[in-house]
Amino acid sequence: MAIPSHVLRELRDALGPERVLTRPEELIVYSYDGTWAEGQPDVVVNPTTTEQVAAVLRIANRERIPVVPRGAGTGLAGASVPQGGIVLNLARMNRIREISPEDMVAVVEPGVVNQTLQDELRPYGLIYPPDPASLYMSTIGGNVATNAGGPRCLKYGVTKDYVLGLEVVLPGGDVLRTGGRQIKNVTGYNLTQLFVGSEGTLGVITEITLRLLPAPAARATAMAAYARLEDAAHTVNAILSAGILPLTTELMDQACIQAVERKLQIGLPVEAEALMLIAVDGEPEAVEPQIHRVADICRRMGADPVEVATTPEEEEKLWLARRSVSPALALIKPNRLTEDIAVPRSKIPEMIRRIQAIAREYDVLIPTFGHIGDGNVHPDIMCDRRDPDEMRRVALAAQAVFEATVELGGTLSGEHGIGLLKKEFLPGALGPLAIEKMLGIKKVFDPHGIMNPGKVFPEA
């Protein structure tokens, strides 16, 4: 839809002409995210204050113009890809308003990059645990909108576990404050958690109050190679049963191991079916014996070889393989469809076997890696978008992966959200009644349906 001239004039009056972009070369910058989904906005606005966000939503609600909130554009489900309308770019609302060591909270604007917050917390001896792989680029606002996770989820939880309070601008321009900075709060409905993971479909988050934790003093890592994938999966429960709660339990399947070895040539065991990286953290006197207990458990469960790293330099060497998965996969095919299914931990071996069978059935390569401890794995369907027949098989393989996930009691998304790319699979995962109630909630907050339309829910 074309934005009427009087609306553009109002937006420029409210934000300043330099913060309203309409030239084609400006709009195209905001037409994609971390997926291959594309769609161009009609106008991009760059607010720097809550008042400016409220002004934009008042105008958009009155004129029934779609609004797509956007942070760094690193999403992996197409949630911030516009289909016309207004892109509300929050990347310039990037101030850390407060760090309180006494209350152990940080109050931030949505455009703060995750790693920037981590760096600012270090002198205080504090951490904000959620650490998505995109933490060097992704914003806290985007992390909240998708309820992002990361490798440390098994021990520390995901974004929702750290959001204490929000400031949200609703369609129409009203500013809602939810929660607070206290740990305990059971006063009324938990509106804060309603907005976490809502993917910009209910309102625009303009301030976030985050819970912080003391930074652990030490960390150590073990890397274990397994001839049988099932032995790797069973190792996690063996470690937990021994009374050890690991910081991370990262899995790479054989396709990932071979891809990384082709790229780096660092001597990875390419015959192994699975490689696991297991880290523990805590007090120095506890960490070293704990990681050696982990290594012993890995050997008892069939791993060979097992390496242990207790210094930052040794750890860096072990983690190089895991961090190189994505660039190594990029050398196989020009494109890939990255999924982030999650299944009960006991179903991980069967899920990965199903993924391997699906890859054979549809003649596509699907390397799989992820956070095995919390059941969240990333099957990456490798492809070339210029090949129509391959893309047809990729679509069928993706559908089969989702169906297998639901059959095993899992969910479509562990940390990326639904966005554009998975919305057609929502009925199979949730059922009609849950979707009806969710749409009812959206109607309460967004009666005219201007907030990120066409996302999360399938077309009626």
Side-chain angles (χ1 to χ4, degrees):
M1 65 182 293
I3 304 293
S5 58
H6 74 275
V7 172
L8 291 175
R9 192 162 52 248
E10 278 190 77
L11 290 172
R12 291 180 177 119
D13 288 345
L15 278 71
E18 74 283 2
R19 301 196 186 283
V20 180
L21 311 179
T22 56
R23 293 202 296 261
E25 64 271 25
E26 295 170 329
L27 300 182
I28 201 168
V29 175
Y30 300 89
S31 65
Y32 57 89
D33 65 355
T35 68
W36 57 49
E38 294 179 9
Q40 197 151 307
D42 295 302
V43 58
V44 175
V45 296
N46 293 306
T48 57
T49 67
T50 299
E51 291 73 24
Q52 290 178 345
V53 173
V56 172
L57 290 196
R58 270 195 298 274
I59 296 167
N61 199 52
R62 185 195 69 211
E63 300 288 335
R64 311 292 193 259
I65 299 173
V67 175
V68 180
R70 180 186 174 94
T74 58
L76 292 173
S80 65
V81 176
Q83 310 292 314
I86 299 172
V87 160
L88 203 154
N89 175 31
L90 296 155
R92 298 187 186 187
M93 292 185 67
N94 59 0
R95 291 178 301 159
I96 297 174
R97 293 181 177 174
E98 180 188 359
I99 294 173
S100 169
E102 290 180 336
D103 289 339
M104 294 182 69
V105 300
V107 182
V108 305
E109 294 182 344
V112 171
V113 172
N114 186 308
Q115 183 64 48
T116 301
L117 177 61
Q118 309 283 0
D119 293 340
E120 292 296 321
L121 293 176
R122 196 166 296 120
Y124 297 93
L126 298 170
I127 59 166
Y128 168 64
D131 60 339
S134 60
L135 84 167
Y136 295 101
M137 301 174 284
S138 64
T139 60
I140 297 294
N143 294 170
V144 173
T146 57
N147 193 13
R152 297 192 290 208
C153 295
L154 175 62
K155 182 168 185 176
Y156 290 114
V158 296
T159 299
K160 70 178 175 60
D161 300 307
Y162 295 90
V163 179
L164 296 176
L166 295 172
E167 177 189 82
V168 183
V169 181
L170 302 177
D174 289 336
V175 179
L176 172 70
R177 295 198 74 90
T178 73
R181 56 197 291 151
Q182 61 279 9
I183 300 296
K184 288 185 173 181
N185 186 346
V186 292
T187 304
Y189 290 161
N190 193 337
L191 295 180
T192 302
Q193 293 299 319
L194 184 59
F195 284 95
V196 177
S198 63
E199 301 187 49
T201 60
L202 300 178
V204 178
I205 296 167
T206 49
E207 182 186 280
I208 305 146
T209 301
L210 297 167
R211 183 166 71 101
L212 308 174
L213 295 181
R219 199 178 88 161
T221 298
M223 185 169 76
Y226 293 84
R228 287 180 0 110
L229 180 66
E230 286 79 2
D231 293 338
H234 294 149
T235 296
V236 177
N237 279 338
I239 293 170
L240 292 170
S241 298
I244 299 171
L245 181 57
L247 173 64
T248 63
T249 50
E250 292 290 292
L251 173 82
M252 296 164 54
D253 76 354
Q254 189 176 55
C256 290
I257 298 168
Q258 293 176 349
V260 172
E261 181 59 21
R262 274 195 299 273
K263 175 178 171 56
L264 299 179
Q265 299 177 16
I266 53 176
L268 293 178
V270 294
E271 301 302 320
E273 279 202 348
L275 197 64
M276 280 187 64
L277 280 159
I278 305 158
V280 297
D281 66 352
E283 293 300 314
E285 57 272 20
V287 162
E288 186 160 346
Q290 206 168 61
I291 198 64
H292 286 291
R293 285 179 63 202
V294 166
D296 289 342
I297 293 170
C298 292
R299 293 186 187 97
R300 198 166 68 241
M301 299 302 293
D304 183 28
V306 178
E307 295 182 54
V308 171
T310 56
T311 68
E313 295 75 20
E314 291 171 344
E315 276 205 295
E316 177 67 21
K317 186 180 172 187
L318 293 190
W319 280 97
L320 176 63
R322 172 62 182 85
R323 280 201 300 273
S324 300
V325 169
S326 289
L329 296 182
L331 298 177
I332 297 175
K333 288 272 190 176
N335 307 107
R336 57 181 169 149
L337 183 60
T338 300
E339 300 301 353
D340 76 312
I341 56 171
V343 295
R345 196 163 49 229
S346 62
K347 301 295 184 184
I348 284 279
E350 185 176 350
M351 188 68 231
I352 293 182
R353 294 298 185 203
R354 294 259 197 124
I355 292 169
Q356 292 170 342
I358 291 166
R360 289 191 295 272
E361 180 178 354
Y362 294 102
D363 191 23
V364 290
L365 181 63
I366 314 182
T368 300
F369 58 98
H371 328 304
I372 186 173
D374 54 35
N376 184 199
V377 294
H378 301 298
D380 275 18
I381 309 178
M382 310 306 296
C383 56
D384 184 342
R385 293 181 65 194
R386 298 165 297 184
D387 184 338
D389 180 63
E390 186 172 62
M391 295 310 296
R392 180 187 61 80
R393 287 182 279 113
V394 165
L396 292 171
Q399 180 175 347
V401 168
F402 289 138
E403 289 172 352
T405 302
V406 173
E407 283 175 19
L408 294 177
T411 185
L412 304 180
S413 177
E415 55 190 7
H416 295 171
I418 299 301
L420 272 174
L421 301 187
K422 300 170 198 160
K423 64 180 185 176
E424 300 306 326
F425 302 101
L426 205 66
L430 298 182
L433 182 58
I435 293 177
E436 177 190 322
K437 297 303 180 188
M438 288 183 184
L439 287 171
I441 291 170
K442 177 169 173 59
K443 193 82 172 174
V444 169
F445 285 93
D446 181 23
H448 300 303
I450 68 163
M451 290 308 308
N452 214 1
K455 311 294 172 54
V456 181
F457 303 103
E459 304 297 332

